Amino acid sequence: MTPPVVLTVAGSDSGAGAGIQADLKVFAALGAYGTSVLTAVTAQNTHQVRAVFPVSAEMVTAQLHAVVEDMPPLAVKTGMLGDPEVAAAVAGAARDGLLPNLVVDPVLVSTSGARLGVVGAIERLLPYALVATPNRAEAAAILGRAVSGPDEMAEAARQLAAGGPRYVVVTGGDVDDSGLAAGGAEAFGGAVDAFCTGTEVRLLRRPWVPTRNTHGTGCSFSAAIAARLALGDQVPDAVAFAKEYVTRALLGARTWSLGSGHGPLDHFGWSGAAAAGGGSGPSSGSGPSSTRR
């Protein structure tokens, strides 16, 4: 059986925990064939992004056409786009129907705090998205207002969905570092995500996974959604599966010592501890226990 093709349009992470490298791992783990369009080269590790070298919009366009003309994807995800020219090029491809089942992960800031995108670039692409997966900070930047607790996350998901994407997931697993309430994530109710389906908003809750190995959770979450869409899932099922997948990947990597900062996830279930996250299929109402990048 020929595997379905999934395309990622994103930046490179030399530490391989996020970006293009994480996306391709997720695609492979879920049985899809991953292709890629590189938007930037970064020099980074588990501690910091040391340098960013952007790829020109012309080169991004050339890569994209080379892939889609020969290996048409069944789903596409975007991550770090970098600047408005690249975003305009990708949005043009989406407008022309080259990016089916588009999942937009509006990457703006890395786990270490480095700026990886601008709001204006993301706004060019959101009207073409089937699914958008901002975390709280990204939703706040796009909307121009604070997004803190579950009620504000739900309202942000509704507002973003009204602006273009058919489905929006505002993820909140980063609450443990946010100081929103005394007691951190437990006071917040664990890891909470707001999933807007267009007609309703569901709050998806999971227990917090205590680990510093959270690098690439946002990338992995959106990549898993894209992979499952390519494999035939409807969006709600793809979101549920992706959330369970990321939870298991966090559980599997929670005691790893890869790097001394925010380490990567267990994308392939190498650790037996991943089994504690549940079965191999989607779980209704489940959610990722962290959504940092």
Side-chain angles (χ1 to χ4, degrees):
M1 177 179 176
T2 302
V5 174
V6 187
L7 171 64
T8 171
V9 182
S12 169
D13 173 4
S14 52
I20 288 278
Q21 289 86 343
D23 294 343
L24 293 177
K25 290 175 188 177
V26 172
F27 297 160
L30 298 185
Y33 185 85
T35 57
S36 61
V37 169
L38 196 64
T39 61
V41 177
T42 69
Q44 65 176 292
N45 54 30
T46 62
H47 277 289
Q48 62 183 159
V49 178
R50 297 184 178 180
V52 177
F53 183 84
V55 174
S56 70
E58 291 77 13
M59 185 57 182
V60 168
T61 299
Q63 293 176 78
L64 197 154
H65 282 278
V67 172
V68 301
E69 289 170 10
D70 185 50
M71 307 171 73
L74 293 180
V76 180
K77 72 144 287 188
T78 64
M80 173 187 175
L81 297 179
D83 62 55
E85 288 187 0
V86 169
V90 177
R95 182 188 61 240
D96 293 340
L98 300 179
L99 309 181
N101 290 318
L102 180 60
V103 180
V104 174
D105 181 19
V107 176
L108 297 175
V109 180
S110 71
T111 304
S112 61
R115 192 152 196 85
L116 300 177
V118 293
V119 172
I122 294 301
E123 289 177 329
R124 289 177 179 266
L125 194 56
L126 284 176
Y128 303 102
L130 174 63
V131 187
T133 62
N135 61 28
R136 290 182 309 108
E138 290 158 349
I142 294 167
L143 295 173
R145 60 177 174 81
V147 177
S148 54
D151 290 344
E152 291 182 4
M153 289 167 60
E155 181 55 34
R158 289 190 191 95
Q159 190 171 344
L160 288 169
R166 184 174 174 187
Y167 299 89
V168 175
V169 187
V170 176
T171 59
D174 55 343
V175 70
D176 193 47
D177 290 339
S178 70
L180 284 175
E186 289 309 313
F188 196 66
V192 181
D193 306 316
F195 177 34
C196 181
T197 66
T199 58
E200 65 173 349
V201 178
R202 310 172 193 167
L203 291 180
L204 311 178
R205 300 179 184 271
R206 289 285 285 171
W208 184 262
V209 176
T211 179
R212 64 178 174 82
N213 297 324
T214 57
H215 186 49
T217 47
C219 300
S220 300
F221 176 55
S222 56
I225 293 174
R228 292 303 304 184
L229 290 174
L231 288 162
D233 278 3
Q234 297 299 307
V235 172
D237 291 334
V239 168
F241 188 103
K243 291 176 182 302
E244 187 64 30
Y245 171 78
V246 171
T247 299
R248 295 197 312 272
L250 283 162
L251 285 164
R254 69 185 185 274
T255 61
W256 283 6
S257 297
L258 289 174
S260 53
H262 290 294
L265 309 186
D266 181 4
H267 291 105
F268 296 105
W270 289 333
S271 171
S280 60
S283 175
S284 178
S286 63
S289 298
S290 176
T291 49
R292 302 186 192 93
R293 292 179 177 85

